[in-house]
């Protein structure tokens, strides 16, 4: 069932898709500008890093001082105090960026859910209205639309079930308006 607004809706959808892709490209380009940027090697790779990554910064600095001041600790391919300090400064500086990106992801996800919610609410109101109007003689032409909507919706909306009787063994309390005569 085609509508008159289809070309405009397709144009809006293409516009949103294009804009979203531009944002994705911007984020991916950002990867190239972040020093020490690493992509996880696979599942569990993050957890393998946590133990040494959570050492106190004071401990890391003390090892850098020790390597700088003790020749026996200097080894080929081993800890370089300048690199160690650079890595710690990088982590300190970029943790807030990670926090901000996580917040942004949360907000974007919330925004997409809110958009789906609004569209869904509007669709449910339209469906409810169409069901009522399809029963009227002057708008029975809506019945095929209602049938299509019902099929597309599936079993998602159900009428509330009647409450089951409880298996309470206590006697029900009866309240009467007349006082008892004793």
């Amino acid at each position: 069932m085609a509508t008159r607004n289809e070309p405009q809706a397709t144009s809006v959808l293409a516009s949103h898709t294009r804009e979203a892709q531009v944002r994705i490209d911007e984020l991916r380009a950002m990867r190239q500008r972040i020093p020490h940027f690493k992509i996880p090697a696979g599942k569990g790779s993050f957890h393998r890093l946590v133990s040494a990554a959570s050492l106190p910064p004071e401990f890391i600095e003390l090892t850098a001082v020790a390597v700088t001041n003790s020749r026996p600790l200097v080894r080929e391919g081993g800890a370089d105090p300048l690199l160690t300090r650079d890595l710690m400064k990088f982590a300190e500086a970029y943790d807030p960026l990670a926090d901000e990106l996580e917040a942004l992801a949360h907000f974007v996800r919330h925004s997409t859910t809110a958009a789906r919610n609004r569209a869904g609410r509007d669709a449910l109101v339209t469906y409810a209205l169409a069901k009522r109007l399809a029963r009227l003689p002057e708008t029975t032409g809506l019945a095929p639309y209602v049938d299509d909507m019902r099929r597309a919706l599936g079993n998602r909306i159900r009428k509330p079930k009647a409450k089951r009787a409880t298996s309470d063994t206590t006697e029900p309390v009866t309240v009467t308006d007349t006082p008892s005569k004793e």
Side-chain angles (χ1 to χ4, degrees):
M1 294 175 217
T3 64
R4 285 177 275 194
N5 294 335
E6 229 174 86
Q8 181 183 5
T10 303
S11 172
V12 168
L13 178 61
S15 172
H16 288 313
T17 302
R18 221 177 5 261
E19 286 299 315
Q21 188 59 51
V22 168
R23 299 294 85 78
I24 290 168
D25 293 342
E26 290 169 354
L27 286 172
R28 288 187 172 196
M30 189 185 302
R31 294 177 183 179
Q32 306 306 316
R33 297 189 308 262
I34 297 175
H36 307 295
F37 183 81
K38 303 276 188 237
I39 295 176
K43 274 191 168 184
S45 61
F46 177 79
H47 294 291
R48 288 190 293 273
L49 302 175
V50 171
S51 181
S54 61
L55 292 170
E58 301 82 11
F59 174 79
I60 304 292
E61 178 57 27
L62 288 170
T63 63
V65 169
V67 169
T68 300
N69 295 317
S70 301
R71 195 147 203 60
L73 294 176
V74 176
R75 61 194 194 283
E76 184 71 31
D80 173 0
L82 290 176
L83 177 59
T84 298
R85 288 182 178 113
D86 178 58
L87 290 169
M88 292 302 289
K89 291 295 182 188
F90 163 78
E92 185 179 322
Y94 276 84
D95 270 343
L97 174 63
D99 293 342
E100 190 63 28
L101 289 171
E102 287 170 351
L104 177 64
H106 176 75
F107 298 153
V108 169
R109 186 73 60 206
H110 179 79
S111 298
T112 60
T113 301
R116 281 189 181 91
N117 175 271
R118 170 82 188 272
R121 278 190 341 228
D122 289 348
L124 288 172
V125 168
T126 300
Y127 177 57
L129 180 61
K131 284 191 333 186
R132 288 190 71 123
L133 290 175
R135 292 185 201 139
L136 300 176
E138 59 272 12
T139 50
T140 57
L142 292 173
Y145 294 104
V146 171
D147 291 342
D148 290 345
M149 287 183 242
R150 183 179 299 118
R151 266 193 304 281
L153 193 56
N155 292 330
R156 294 195 45 119
I157 296 181
R158 297 181 182 160
K159 294 180 182 176
K161 294 181 181 178
K163 290 187 178 183
R164 287 187 260 151
T166 59
S167 60
D168 195 1
T169 58
T170 60
E171 290 292 320
V173 176
T174 307
V175 178
T176 60
D177 289 332
T178 57
S180 62
K181 295 180 184 177
E182 289 183 7

